[in-house]
Amino acid sequence: QQQVKQSPQSLIVQKGGISIINCAYENTAFDYFPWYQQFPGKGPALLIAIRPDVSEKKEGRFTISFNKSAKQFSLHIMDSQPGDSATYFCAASSTGYSTLTFGKGTMLLVSP
Amino acid sequence: DVKVTQSSRYLVKRTGEKVFLECVQDMDHENMFWYRQDPGLGLRLIYFSYDVKMKEKGDIPEGYSVSREKKERFSLILESASTNQTSMYLCASSLGDRGLLGYTFGSGTRLTVV
């Protein structure tokens, strides 16, 4: 079974700090890696995504770092804010396989 | 913006009941999905559909079935509800190959089976 392993399960960061969430995968056919953000009472929403032809993608305070040789990718949230408090899911998919495989999620709490 | 609407926010059903969870999307997306979300287990795919009257099993299809009679509507059916099916159920839709433009999720239905 395809798997994406996500860590940590929960994370507490002070306001202004850097939040880092890591994911690892085994299937070398994966070629699309999105991150989803879920607020309480809402469904997950696409936050940012990367393909393996680049090692980093940045959108505002959110950055994905990708290490193809290690089969790992991570989400960095710079200058974390209380409004970033949410559950974050990494995911992966491969050409010819049309669904996303999600990690188990990380609950982020940014303390004021 | 694409909107995915799940018909019920909260449901309480009795063991053995047949339960229908309804999902409607309004942007002509080909792909629709049903996931369940449980603490510590993340999002697990139950069933998905690429087209009308087409369905594929996901990772945990046992005890569930689906129906897609119209492009915009995807129903999840619990044939005989059991307490281990108490969960948050999330419907999603996407356009095109692997949802590269992103999955759009509904707000979820929290089902309790007693």
Side-chain angles (χ1 to χ4, degrees), chain A residues 16-109:
Chain A
I18 302 173
S19 304
I20 302 174
I21 304 170
N22 300 300
C23 285
Y25 63 96
E26 296 177 353
N27 186 347
T28 55
F30 283 151
D31 59 2
Y32 173 67
F33 303 91
W35 286 88
Y36 281 76
Q37 179 188 53
Q38 183 182 30
F39 293 108
K42 301 290 186 182
L46 179 64
L47 181 63
I48 187 172
I50 197 170
R51 289 185 178 272
D53 52 345
V54 296
S55 60
E56 187 175 283
K57 183 174 181 179
K58 184 176 181 180
E59 291 185 1
R61 296 183 295 107
F62 299 88
T63 299
I64 300 178
S65 297
F66 183 79
N67 186 329
K68 189 174 182 178
S69 61
K71 292 184 286 186
Q72 296 175 348
F73 59 109
S74 59
L75 177 69
H76 292 65
I77 306 175
M78 312 300 289
D79 186 28
S80 298
Q81 299 297 312
D84 297 330
S85 297
T87 299
Y88 292 82
F89 294 95
C90 62
S93 70
S94 58
T95 302
Y97 192 74
S98 298
T99 63
L100 290 172
T101 298
F102 286 89
K104 293 186 177 182
T106 297
M107 292 182 61
L108 171 65
L109 176 64

Side-chain angles (χ1 to χ4, degrees), chain A residues 1 9 31-32 36 38 40-46 49 51 87 89 93-105, chain B residues 9 31 33 35 37-43 45 48 50 59 88 90 97-108:
Chain A
Q1 184 178 1
Q9 189 171 6
D31 59 2
Y32 173 67
Y36 281 76
Q38 183 182 30
K42 301 290 186 182
L46 179 64
R51 289 185 178 272
T87 299
F89 294 95
S93 70
S94 58
T95 302
Y97 192 74
S98 298
T99 63
L100 290 172
T101 298
F102 286 89
K104 293 186 177 182
Chain B
R9 191 89 174 100
N31 308 318
F33 310 85
Y35 285 86
Q37 181 175 11
D38 301 287
L41 297 178
L43 301 170
L45 181 63
F48 59 102
Y50 296 132
D59 299 320
M88 171 67 84
L90 290 164
D97 179 38
R98 297 183 286 148
L100 293 181
L101 299 178
Y103 282 19
T104 300
F105 282 88
S107 294

